[in-house]
Amino acid sequence: VVSVFSPARDLVISIRDSIDADKQSKASKDELIARIEALEAENEALNQKLGDYNSDMFELNELRDLLALSEKYSDFQTVGATIIAKDPSNWFAEFTIDKGLEDGIKVDMNVLWGNGLAGIVTEVGEGYSIVTSIIQDDMNVSAVSSSTRDTCIVSGDLELMEKGYVSLMYIHNDAKIGEYERVI
């Protein structure tokens, strides 16, 4: 009897073991899917945190630059501003900042950026100001050499503008303004 029923019993055990393995495999598959979904959600949250971090770092660097600029021109009252609109042309002739009358901004005030003069305020509203860029060909401002105190006029120039330069005019013949001289 054992020899007759033994193969059938082995077949039943094998089928049962296969069904159990399928159940475990399905449970493992469901666990893997749940884990993948959890990791995808965690990845999305980390990407959001990374975006926030990058935004914070950009803001921190901007604030550091503004602090350095404020310290560089500590003899002057300064107001930090953000460009909120630009001239649609490639020349960047005018731009609008988010500071105006309510912030003490007035026509003909200087606008500094980076290492120097960016432009002059030409129009002021309650919460905005329009700035004409120093590279504009009809823009002229007086300037002085930082080391020799020789004076000149800095003027925008259409030919030099494409190279990122401005023109110095009306420099006294005896002036000692050299190459890479800082002109304020």
Side-chain angles (χ1 to χ4, degrees):
V1 171
V2 171
S3 63
V4 171
F5 290 112
S6 183
R9 183 183 55 104
D10 290 344
L11 180 62
V12 169
I13 291 172
S14 173
I15 291 171
R16 186 195 69 204
D17 289 347
S18 176
I19 290 172
D20 287 345
D22 284 347
K23 285 180 183 177
Q24 287 178 347
S25 175
K26 181 167 177 18
S28 295
K29 183 178 176 184
D30 290 343
E31 288 173 9
L32 286 174
I33 289 172
R35 180 73 177 138
I36 288 170
E37 288 172 352
L39 288 172
E40 286 174 345
E42 182 180 358
N43 188 43
E44 182 64 31
L46 289 172
N47 281 333
Q48 179 65 40
K49 284 183 180 180
L50 179 62
D52 292 347
Y53 170 79
N54 287 336
S55 178
D56 289 347
M57 285 304 296
F58 180 78
E59 183 180 3
L60 176 62
N61 288 331
E62 279 188 330
L63 291 171
R64 283 180 177 162
D65 291 345
L66 284 173
L67 178 60
L69 194 62
S70 178
E71 289 171 350
K72 185 177 182 179
Y73 297 102
S74 61
D75 295 345
F76 302 97
Q77 182 180 359
T78 58
V79 175
T82 301
I83 296 174
I84 56 174
K86 298 179 186 178
D87 185 320
S89 74
N90 290 333
W91 292 351
F92 202 70
E94 287 185 343
F95 53 94
T96 305
I97 59 174
D98 65 347
K99 301 295 181 192
L101 290 171
E102 60 194 27
D103 304 292
I105 306 298
K106 297 177 184 154
V107 170
D108 292 330
M109 283 186 154
N110 294 333
V111 176
L112 305 173
W113 181 70
N115 290 323
L117 183 65
I120 305 293
V121 174
T122 52
E123 184 181 326
V124 181
E126 283 301 315
Y128 73 94
S129 296
I130 296 177
V131 178
T132 300
S133 174
I134 187 63
I135 62 173
Q136 189 67 354
D137 68 329
D138 60 350
M139 178 60 70
N140 297 299
V141 294
S142 61
V144 63
S145 162
S146 64
S147 65
T148 66
R149 308 311 287 171
D150 291 313
T151 60
C152 63
I153 299 293
V154 176
S155 178
D157 183 307
L158 286 175
E159 292 179 24
L160 295 175
M161 180 173 53
E162 298 207 9
K163 297 176 185 174
Y165 296 125
V166 293
S167 175
L168 296 180
M169 305 182 309
Y170 305 114
I171 302 170
H172 192 273
N173 289 340
D174 297 335
K176 305 245 188 298
I177 299 176
E179 189 173 0
Y180 301 109
E181 179 77 26
R182 185 169 175 202
V183 178
I184 303 170

